[in-house]
């Protein structure tokens, strides 16, 4: 009992030390609180979906269609932001607002070009990709998924622009709007399901999802204009794409390994869903429901932590404050473990009652609730490992060690694929959830080993130069 109390006292002292920690704590509270609101709206959306569709084939088809746009958006969000934000912070601090705005315009131009190509490729190859990721679906179910995928394609461009715009707001210390804008993504689907679901069925959900994504993008760019970023100035000139500046070349140099790493790491969800599609009708839907509450818990903590930490770590690296970085790592690491380990145990114990309370109504049956509860309890196990990993990932990104993250991601995807296959054969659909949590545990260990190996070298290198 004495050891945990002493650790808590040391952690709280750490939060009180230094203006950097004060800024991060304020950002954590702001982002965490607003993310709680957004995730709460997401749970409300799951109420509506479970009541209207349960684990029926049409919802399986919707999830198969949604998977590919969300996959590419997550690649953009994780890779572009990690490659862009450290350079953007450094340019803004050293060269001023005008240079930072030119950099942003160029990166947005590259984002639109790349996502445009991805959208065209998805439109052309939608059929073969769906047959690969939803191999257990019958012809009618695949046809529904194909149609829905074409409906959902605008999400790709909207999601990529939102990710870049939100990252810029965070880098400028404007956390609130970027944290609350995603509330549109669940709210508009709820309106669509309640108002039009009886008439248009699953297509009402698809339309509401696209409108939510577009609304979120509009809010983010309105926020940029309110905080001093000229939207007209963000229109990239042809020269910015054909003859990029030194800062843009720096971003692009970091981008390639980050995109590769994000493709590899984000493929875990694709693999999980493809495996679930082989387990019979309703399995994809049950896996999705089982992820939601775990994603709710992980998302609030991870988004607030990652959003607040990356700009601050980037500033510390730019200033050469490696002693402060090491102190912050210890403080945040202890704080994460003290909060998440008891929370994880409680969530696992309450998984059954939570599933029944939240989902079991309308088209969602008691048998559905039992299966989802088993899946959900195993997804909850990832919580402490995921957050500890996020802390290390943000530091490695700020240090520019994105190739290290690429190597770790490659190990993760192989581990996840093998784990899914072995554990699915052993315990069915819950095995996919267990594999995910085990992968995050192994990944956290690899990330922190890399942090310990890389941070002293940077510190020594900076001191030697000075």
């Amino acid at each position: 009992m004495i050891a945990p109390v002493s650790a808590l006292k040391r952690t709280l002292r750490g939060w009180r030390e230094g203006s950097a920690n004060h800024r991060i704590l304020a950002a954590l509270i702001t982002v965490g609180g607003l993310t709680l609101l957004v995730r709460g709206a997401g749970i409300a959306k799951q109420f509506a979906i479970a009541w209207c569709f349960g684990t029926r084939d049409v919802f399986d088809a919707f999830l198969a269609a949604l998977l590919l746009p969300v996959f590419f958006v997550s690649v953009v969000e994780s890779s572009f932001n990690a490659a862009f934000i450290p350079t953007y912070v450094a340019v803004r601090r050293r060269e001023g607002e005008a240079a930072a705005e030119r950099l942003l315009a160029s990166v947005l131009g590259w984002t639109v070009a790349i996502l445009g190509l991805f959208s065209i490729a998805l439109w052309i190859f939608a059929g073969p990709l769906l047959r690969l990721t939803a191999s257990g679906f019958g012809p009618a179910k695949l046809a529904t998924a194909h149609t829905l995928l074409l409906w959902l394609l605008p999400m790709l461009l909207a999601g990529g622009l939102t990710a870049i715009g939100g990252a810029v707001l965070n880098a400028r210390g404007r956390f609130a709007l970027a944290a609350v804008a995603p509330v549109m993504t669940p709210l508009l689907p709820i309106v669509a399901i309640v108002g039009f679901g009886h008439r248009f069925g699953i297509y009402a959900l698809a339309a509401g999802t696209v409108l939510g994504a577009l609304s979120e993008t509009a809010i983010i760019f309105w926020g940029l204009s309110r905080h001093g970023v000229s939207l007209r100035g963000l229109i990239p000139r042809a020269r910015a794409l054909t003859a990029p500046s030194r800062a843009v070349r720096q971003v692009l140099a970091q981008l390639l390994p980050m995109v590769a790493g994000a493709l590899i790491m984000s493929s875990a969800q694709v693999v999980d869903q493809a495996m679930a599609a082989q387990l019979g009708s309703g399995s994809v839907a049950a896996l999705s429901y089982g992820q939601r509450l775990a994603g709710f818990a992980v998302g609030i903590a991870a988004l607030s932590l990652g959003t607040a930490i990356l700009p601050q770590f980037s500033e510390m690296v730019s200033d050469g404050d490696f002693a402060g970085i090491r102190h912050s790592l210890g403080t945040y690491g202890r704080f994460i473990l003290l909060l998440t380990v008891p929370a994880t145990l409680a969530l696992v114990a309450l998984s059954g009652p939570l599933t029944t309370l939240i989902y079991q109504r309308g088209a969602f049956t008691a048998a559905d609730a039992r299966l989802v509860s088993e899946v959900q309890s195993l997804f909850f196990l990832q919580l402490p490992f995921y957050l500890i990993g996020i802390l290390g990932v943000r530091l490695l990104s700020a240090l520019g060690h994105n190739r290290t993250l690429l190597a770790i991601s490659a190990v993760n995807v192989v581990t996840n694929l093998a784990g899914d296959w072995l554990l699915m054969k052993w315990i069915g659909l819950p095995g996919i959830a267990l594999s995910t949590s085990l992968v995050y545990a192994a990944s956290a260990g690899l990330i922190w080993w890399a942090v310990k190996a890389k941070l002293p070298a940077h510190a020594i290198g900076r001191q030697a130069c000075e």
Side-chain angles (χ1 to χ4, degrees):
M1 182 68 183
I2 295 175
V5 172
S6 300
L8 179 59
K9 289 180 178 178
R10 287 196 305 271
T11 299
L12 293 175
R13 281 199 302 270
W15 282 115
R16 293 194 295 268
E17 294 176 7
S19 59
N21 282 341
H22 285 152
R23 290 197 301 273
I24 292 175
L25 180 58
L28 285 171
I29 293 171
T30 299
V31 177
L34 292 174
T35 302
L36 180 62
L37 171 66
V38 173
R39 297 287 176 168
I43 293 296
K45 184 182 80 169
Q46 292 305 305
F47 290 165
I49 291 173
W51 168 74
C52 191
F53 304 112
T55 59
R56 294 173 181 168
D57 279 356
V58 288
F59 189 46
D60 272 355
F62 174 81
L63 291 171
L66 184 65
L67 178 65
L68 294 172
V70 168
F71 170 68
F72 284 112
V73 168
S74 68
V75 168
V76 170
E77 185 173 7
S78 56
S79 57
F80 269 72
N81 289 356
F84 170 62
I85 291 302
T87 303
Y88 178 83
V89 169
V91 168
R92 186 166 177 252
R93 287 166 67 89
R94 296 172 183 171
E95 302 177 34
E97 292 287 350
E101 196 165 301
R102 288 194 298 272
L103 173 61
L104 174 58
S106 297
V107 170
L108 283 175
W110 281 97
T111 302
V112 171
I114 291 171
L115 290 179
L117 291 174
F118 279 165
S119 298
I120 294 170
L122 274 180
W123 181 72
I124 295 172
F125 298 107
L129 286 171
L130 284 170
R131 285 193 293 273
L132 179 64
T133 59
S135 59
F137 288 7
K141 199 169 174 180
L142 272 176
T144 302
H146 187 280
T147 303
L148 288 168
L149 176 56
L150 299 182
W151 279 53
L152 294 170
L153 279 180
M155 286 184 60
L156 219 164
L157 184 58
L161 293 176
T162 298
I164 298 294
V168 171
L169 285 174
N170 292 331
R172 297 170 70 91
R174 307 296 183 177
F175 297 103
L177 186 62
V180 77
V183 77
M184 302 305 295
T185 302
L187 282 183
L188 287 182
I190 292 173
V191 172
I193 291 170
V194 173
F196 305 99
H198 65 286
R199 183 175 179 184
F200 298 105
I202 199 67
Y203 296 101
L205 175 58
T209 301
V210 171
L211 290 175
L214 293 173
S215 299
E216 183 181 348
T217 304
I219 291 171
I220 288 294
F221 278 83
W222 171 81
L224 286 174
S225 68
R226 285 290 304 272
H227 293 298
V229 177
S230 170
L231 296 186
R232 181 177 298 178
L234 294 183
I235 301 174
R237 296 172 174 82
R239 180 175 174 79
L241 299 178
T242 58
S245 66
R246 180 182 60 82
V248 173
R249 290 195 302 271
Q250 183 178 340
V251 171
L252 294 177
Q254 289 289 334
L255 183 61
L256 183 59
M258 286 304 298
V259 167
L263 283 168
I264 292 171
M265 195 59 188
S266 298
S267 67
Q269 185 178 359
V270 177
V271 170
D272 289 352
Q273 188 163 308
M275 292 287 191
Q278 300 176 31
L279 294 176
S281 179
S283 294
V284 173
L287 185 71
S288 174
Y289 287 122
Q291 290 173 323
R292 293 302 172 180
L293 285 185
F296 177 82
V298 169
I300 292 172
L303 183 60
S304 54
L305 180 67
T307 298
I309 288 295
L310 180 56
Q312 193 61 51
F313 274 167
S314 298
E315 291 183 8
M316 287 180 171
V317 170
S318 180
D319 295 339
D321 184 12
F322 297 102
I325 289 173
R326 284 190 290 271
H327 174 75
S328 294
L329 279 174
T331 300
Y332 306 143
R334 289 193 300 270
F335 191 75
I336 288 168
L337 292 176
L338 285 169
L339 289 180
T340 59
V341 171
T344 299
L345 296 175
L347 287 170
V348 170
L350 294 172
S351 181
L354 285 172
T355 304
T356 301
L357 176 65
I358 293 172
Y359 294 127
Q360 192 175 324
R361 60 182 56 83
F364 198 96
T365 66
D368 295 333
R370 285 192 296 272
L371 177 58
V372 169
S373 173
E374 293 176 12
V375 172
Q376 180 176 265
S377 63
L378 294 173
F379 271 127
F380 279 142
L381 297 177
Q382 70 184 273
L383 180 58
F385 306 113
Y386 188 97
L387 296 183
I388 286 290
I390 284 289
L391 187 61
V393 164
R394 291 298 184 257
L395 178 56
L396 289 172
S397 293
L399 290 169
H401 282 298
N402 294 323
R403 286 182 174 83
T404 300
L405 293 175
L406 172 60
I408 293 172
S409 296
V411 173
N412 288 346
V413 74
V414 174
T415 305
N416 184 62
L417 182 60
D420 277 0
W421 187 81
L422 291 171
L423 294 173
M424 186 179 74
K425 296 293 184 182
W426 179 34
I427 55 175
L429 187 66
I432 297 175
L434 179 57
S435 173
T436 298
S437 294
L438 292 175
V439 167
Y440 281 122
S443 177
L446 287 173
I447 289 167
W448 277 76
W449 172 81
V451 165
K452 289 183 178 180
K454 302 296 183 181
L455 185 57
H458 272 268
I460 292 169
R462 174 60 65 92
Q463 290 167 358
C465 291
E466 293 173 352

